[in-house]
């Protein structure tokens, strides 16, 4: 419907790719509602262009960061502070009702029936079922609610440093007041729960409507071998536990999203993470912090020499910004050999 929308958030290029897959999964399951994505200024122009093709509305918003290092450290997820940006979704007042979905979710069945629910409807969090998980929730846009949320955030903060803590604090009656606002777990099947109650997953998992790739391991941080039709990387137990869902994500990404990205990146260095031949560990040095992840080195890279010469002209600040956008010079200055030398020096 024209006055209802699915809403997601992408604060960087990686989450933008997740949002693209989410959009395609919603369309492939025949939603009749609008699709909206909130993006941060760090999302690159090529990704913005692809998002505009897949979403009815792309709105650039200011990134809100809780900067609550103490609570975020308890979860070992310093990256979740920026999820406060999610609160902007209440400003979409030209829609009568919306469903927010994290960019690391995948729709596997039509979920338009969620618009029959009232604010704030959400599924229990697998880690603490008296809290709701904010990966999927039904809400009603309202500037009055938005202002109250911002005031609550300023006065009370968030008990986990991210959006989930502040929203559970604000909508504190969710656990006890109205059971109709408790979504069945199949609307937010959190991957982390597969390890704690695997028998239930085997019993009910086939009814899943939305899969949520919780935790630090995201589909885009893994690699995909299209010939073997296998997803690799990360914890092999975790990959094996929901390999079919990961394969669904990567299949959709490689078939319906990757071609659009390649078209819009043009002459810029672009590594899809899809055509896998070698997986190399890489390390990002940013002041005193060391962040680890993985990259995919493709067998052929036509832009390698041009990228290498360009990287030599970049300042350290420009290089850092490119790392954050996922546009590191993997074949030149930021090659595995050079990174390995820096790692050796750092460890010594």
């Amino acid at each position: 419907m024209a006055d209802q929308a699915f809403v997601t958030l992408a604060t960087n290029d990686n989450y933008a790719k997740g949002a693209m897959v989410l959009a395609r999964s919603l369309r492939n399951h025949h939603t009749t509602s609008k699709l909206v994505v909130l993006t941060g200024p760090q999302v690159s122009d090529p990704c913005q262009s692809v998002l505009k093709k897949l979403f009815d509305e792309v709105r650039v918003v200011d990134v809100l960061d809780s900067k609550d290092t103490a609570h975020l450290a308890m979860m070992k997820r310093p990256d979740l502070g920026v999820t406060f940006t999610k609160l902007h979704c209440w400003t979409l007042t030209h829609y009568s009702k919306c469903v927010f979905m994290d960019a690391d979710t995948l729709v596997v069945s039509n979920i338009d029936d969620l618009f029959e629910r009232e604010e704030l409807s959400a599924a229990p969090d697998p880690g603490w079922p008296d809290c709701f998980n904010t990966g999927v929730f039904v809400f009603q846009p309202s500037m009055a609610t938005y202002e109250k949320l911002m005031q609550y955030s300023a006065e009370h903060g968030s008990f986990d440093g991210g959006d989930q803590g502040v929203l559970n604090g604000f909508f504190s009656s969710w656990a006890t007041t109205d059971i109709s606002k408790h979504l069945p777990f199949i609307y937010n099947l959190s991957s982390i729960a597969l390890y704690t109650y695997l028998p239930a997953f085997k019993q009910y998992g086939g009814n899943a409507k939305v899969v949520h790739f919780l935790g630090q391991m995201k589909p885009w941080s893994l690699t995909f071998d299209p010939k073997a039709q296998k997803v690799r990387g990360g914890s092999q137990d975790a990959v094996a536990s929901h390999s079919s869902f990961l394969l669904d994500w990567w299949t959709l990404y490689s078939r319906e999203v990757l071609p659009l990205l390649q078209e819009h990146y043009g002459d810029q260095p672009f590594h899809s993470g899809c055509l896998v031949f070698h997986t190399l560990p890489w390390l990002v040095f940013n002041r005193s912090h060391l962040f680890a992840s993985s990259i995919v080195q493709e067998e052929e890279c036509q832009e390698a020499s041009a990228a290498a010469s360009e990287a030599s002209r970049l300042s350290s600040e420009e290089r850092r910004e490119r790392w954050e956008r996922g546009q590191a010079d993997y074949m030149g200055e930021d090659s595995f050999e050079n990174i390995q030398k820096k790692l050796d020096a750092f460890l010594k």
Side-chain angles (χ1 to χ4, degrees):
M1 296 179 62
D3 64 340
Q4 298 177 342
F6 287 102
V7 183
T8 191
L9 169 68
T11 53
N12 58 42
D13 280 9
N14 282 332
Y15 277 88
K17 293 173 185 176
M20 295 170 195
V21 173
L22 172 60
R24 290 308 307 150
S25 69
L26 282 162
R27 290 297 187 212
N28 288 349
H29 290 289
H30 311 297
T31 182
T32 59
S33 299
K34 297 288 187 179
L35 303 185
V36 179
V37 59
L38 307 178
T39 72
Q42 285 190 324
V43 176
S44 67
D45 290 340
C47 279
Q48 290 275 5
S49 297
V50 175
L51 290 171
K52 289 175 182 177
K53 282 192 172 184
L54 298 177
F55 286 83
D56 297 294
E57 181 178 353
V58 178
R59 177 178 290 197
V60 180
V61 296
D62 293 330
V63 173
L64 304 177
D65 192 336
S66 71
K67 301 186 186 300
D68 189 346
T69 55
H71 285 109
L72 293 169
M74 292 175 65
M75 297 193 297
K76 299 180 180 179
R77 292 296 303 279
D79 54 304
L80 293 183
V82 296
T83 61
F84 260 47
T85 312
K86 190 180 297 186
L87 302 183
H88 283 300
C89 67
W90 268 271
T91 66
L92 300 171
T93 54
H94 47 298
Y95 298 106
S96 63
K97 190 179 292 184
C98 296
V99 176
F100 185 89
M101 304 186 71
D102 277 347
D104 58 352
T105 58
L106 176 72
V107 173
V108 294
S109 179
N110 184 279
I111 55 172
D112 281 2
D113 58 302
L114 285 178
F115 291 102
E116 300 171 9
R117 303 273 183 158
E118 299 301 320
E119 179 180 85
L120 189 292
S121 293
D125 187 81
W128 195 265
D130 280 345
C131 291
F132 56 86
N133 183 276
T134 55
V136 178
F137 61 85
V138 183
F139 70 99
Q140 184 173 342
S142 162
M143 287 305 299
T145 303
Y146 172 73
E147 291 168 3
K148 290 177 182 178
L149 276 166
M150 297 303 291
Q151 182 178 355
Y152 181 91
S153 301
E155 295 177 355
H156 303 281
S158 167
F159 64 74
D160 68 355
D163 69 283
Q164 185 156 305
V166 72
L167 288 176
N168 271 276
F170 186 82
F171 294 100
S172 58
S173 64
W174 175 87
T176 57
T177 301
D178 188 352
I179 193 66
S180 69
K181 294 183 179 180
H182 289 218
L183 298 181
F185 196 59
I186 58 173
Y187 285 92
N188 190 352
L189 183 63
S190 306
S191 58
I192 195 171
L194 307 190
Y195 321 133
T196 58
Y197 202 16
L198 188 57
F201 172 72
K202 290 181 178 179
Q203 178 72 16
Y204 304 111
N207 299 323
K209 291 179 176 291
V210 179
V211 179
H212 189 182
F213 298 100
L214 271 177
Q216 289 183 315
M217 188 192 76
K218 304 301 182 187
W220 53 82
S221 65
L222 304 174
T223 56
F224 177 53
D225 186 337
K227 294 182 180 179
Q229 287 292 292
K230 289 185 178 180
V231 179
R232 296 171 178 157
S235 165
Q236 290 307 302
D237 289 339
V239 171
S241 295
H242 51 278
S243 58
S244 62
F245 294 133
L246 285 170
L247 185 59
D248 290 342
W249 190 98
W250 271 101
T251 300
L252 186 54
Y253 172 74
S254 60
R255 289 179 180 176
E256 302 188 35
V257 173
L258 180 58
L260 295 175
L261 285 167
Q262 290 173 324
E263 174 187 344
H264 284 278
Y265 266 84
D267 294 332
Q268 297 184 46
F270 175 72
H271 296 264
S272 67
C274 180
L275 304 175
V276 176
F277 297 95
H278 307 286
T279 303
L280 304 176
W282 56 271
L283 297 155
V284 181
F285 295 87
N286 182 7
R287 297 181 182 175
S288 61
H289 299 282
L290 189 66
F291 300 91
S293 186
S294 66
I295 66 166
V296 173
Q297 179 186 16
E298 298 182 18
E299 213 165 45
E300 296 181 0
C301 184
Q302 297 178 351
E303 302 92 349
S305 59
S309 60
E310 181 183 8
S312 65
R313 299 191 299 269
L314 296 177
S315 67
S316 60
E317 181 67 19
E318 290 172 324
R319 285 187 64 205
R320 183 179 68 80
E321 291 178 356
R322 289 206 168 193
W323 275 101
E324 293 172 349
R325 295 198 303 265
Q327 297 174 356
D329 177 22
Y330 304 132
M331 304 300 291
E333 182 68 18
D334 301 317
S335 67
F336 175 71
E337 181 180 357
N338 289 335
I339 296 299
Q340 185 67 55
K341 290 178 181 177
K342 293 181 181 179
L343 174 60
D344 291 339
F346 177 83
L347 294 177
K348 289 178 182 179

